[in-house]
């Protein structure tokens, strides 16, 4: 595990991180070549070495997460001491606890870090397990640098990127019969919440949603917290995934 203060910079690496970028970033990847590739891509986005932390195992990643909060976490699934899904679930549980506390106390809370899986694994079970655990997006390592860069940038903007090769399979697997008409209960969303969730599914950020439907950003954030609570989720991707599986979204 290391902060990249001593790692040689590539030609595209910015010397200092931009103050506008969410940081720091945790890179959970055990392969040295892939580590350097990801660092180079983040450098193209404007991240300097001081903003990046490397962890090659689940243990190292957990130590780092216990020491500080991260704005973005890039996770491989196949790690020497376990599966990255375990780490995603841990981060999701921590975020969910914070969100529940904020709802009860009527105060703002961080929605937690964006979590992007960058993995060579593309089996249905692993993909679904990662998304159910709380991953924001999933992209395959075989994609070129530009595609990885666009996926990372999408997460930073509040999107939920899914590798095109597996997107159709995921949609097929998550299809479910429409919800029973007239169904009532805590998990049924209001018309406004469904409208906001549809815009979330389209990749809009909270600010963009607020501008489009003429609400304040704070009101949109409150609606999204209610959506999380009703669907028992802790991320935008899981909210969309769960709503589709229940027939609440097309």
């Amino acid at each position: 595990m290391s902060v990249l203060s001593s790692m040689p910079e590539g030609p595209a690496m910015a010397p200092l991180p931009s103050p506008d970028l969410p940081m720091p970033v945790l890179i959970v990847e055990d392969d040295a070549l892939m580590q350097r590739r990801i660092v180079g891509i983040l450098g193209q986005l404007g991240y300097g070495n001081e903003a990046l932390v490397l962890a090659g195992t689940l243990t190292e990643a957990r130590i780092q997460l216990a020491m500080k909060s991260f704005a973005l976490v890039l996770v491989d699934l196949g790690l020497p001491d376990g599966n990255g899904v375990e780490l995603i679930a841990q981060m999701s549980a921590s975020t969910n606890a914070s969100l529940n506390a904020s709802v009860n106390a009527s105060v703002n809370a961080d929605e937690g870090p964006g979590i992007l899986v960058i993995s060579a694994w593309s089996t249905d079970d692993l993909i679904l397990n990662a998304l159910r655990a709380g991953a924001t997006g999933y992209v395959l390592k075989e994609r070129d640098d530009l595609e990885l860069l666009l996926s990372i940038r999408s997460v930073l903007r509040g999107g939920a990127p899914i590798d095109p090769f597996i997107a159709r399979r995921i949609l097929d697997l998550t299809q479910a019969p429409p919800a029973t008409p007239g169904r009532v209960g805590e998990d049924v969303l209001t018309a406004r919440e469904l409208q906001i969730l549809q815009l979330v599914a389209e990749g809009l950020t909270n600010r963009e949603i607020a501008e489009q439907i003429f609400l304040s950003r704070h009101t949109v954030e409150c609606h999204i917290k209610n959506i999380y609570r009703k669907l028992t989720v802790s991320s935008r991707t899981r909210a969309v995934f769960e709503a589709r599986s229940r027939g609440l979204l097309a």
Side-chain angles (χ1 to χ4, degrees):
M1 119 188 86
S2 62
V3 179
L4 293 177
S5 57
S6 61
M7 186 172 180
E9 295 182 0
M13 177 61 71
L16 290 172
S18 165
D20 298 326
L21 287 170
M23 60 184 71
V25 179
L26 177 61
I27 304 167
V28 187
E29 170 62 60
D30 64 310
D31 180 79
L33 291 177
M34 191 64 197
Q35 285 179 357
R36 290 183 177 274
R37 183 183 174 201
I38 293 173
V39 169
I41 292 169
L42 289 170
Q44 293 178 51
L45 287 170
Y47 282 99
N49 288 342
E50 295 82 356
L52 309 180
V53 177
L54 290 178
T57 65
L58 288 179
T59 300
E60 292 176 355
R62 285 169 174 151
I63 291 172
Q64 288 294 333
L65 288 167
M67 293 170 56
K68 66 177 74 175
S69 297
F70 289 89
L72 175 65
V73 182
L74 307 178
V75 186
D76 187 15
L77 295 187
L79 296 166
D81 56 346
N83 193 308
V85 173
E86 300 172 36
L87 186 68
I88 295 169
Q90 175 186 330
M91 289 186 285
S92 178
S94 176
T95 299
N96 213 14
S98 297
L99 286 171
N100 288 337
S102 73
V103 169
N104 294 334
S106 298
V107 296
N108 290 329
D110 192 347
E111 292 186 9
I115 305 172
L116 178 64
V117 174
I118 304 179
S119 177
W121 298 36
S122 60
T123 62
D124 294 344
D125 286 348
L126 282 171
I127 294 165
L128 292 177
N129 286 342
L131 294 177
R132 286 170 177 151
T136 308
Y138 198 116
V139 64
L140 297 177
K141 288 182 178 181
E142 67 188 46
R143 298 303 173 191
D144 61 31
D145 287 2
L146 177 59
E147 290 172 294
L148 292 184
L149 183 150
L150 292 175
S151 294
I152 294 171
R153 187 164 64 184
S154 175
V155 173
L156 293 172
R157 287 174 51 84
I162 300 294
D163 192 280
F165 180 75
I166 59 180
R168 174 51 56 188
R169 290 160 51 194
I170 293 176
L171 289 176
D172 290 342
L173 288 167
T174 57
Q175 293 302 313
T180 303
R183 177 184 174 193
V184 295
E186 180 68 9
D187 61 341
V188 174
L189 305 181
T190 66
R192 176 65 84 184
E193 288 166 351
L194 283 171
Q195 179 189 28
I196 290 173
L197 188 54
Q198 181 61 54
L199 295 174
V200 169
E202 293 172 11
L204 274 66
T205 65
N206 290 354
R207 185 185 301 279
E208 291 167 340
I209 293 172
E211 292 173 352
Q212 181 158 327
I213 62 178
F214 305 105
L215 293 176
S216 72
R217 183 174 177 181
H218 173 73
T219 300
V220 170
E221 289 171 350
C222 287
H223 279 303
I224 290 178
K225 287 179 182 178
N226 286 334
I227 291 169
Y228 286 0
R229 176 175 55 82
K230 290 181 177 182
L231 298 181
T232 320
V233 299
S234 59
S235 73
R236 300 166 79 87
T237 304
R238 290 188 70 190
V240 173
F241 176 88
E242 186 66 23
R244 282 177 172 154
S245 69
R246 298 187 188 191
L248 300 176
L249 283 182

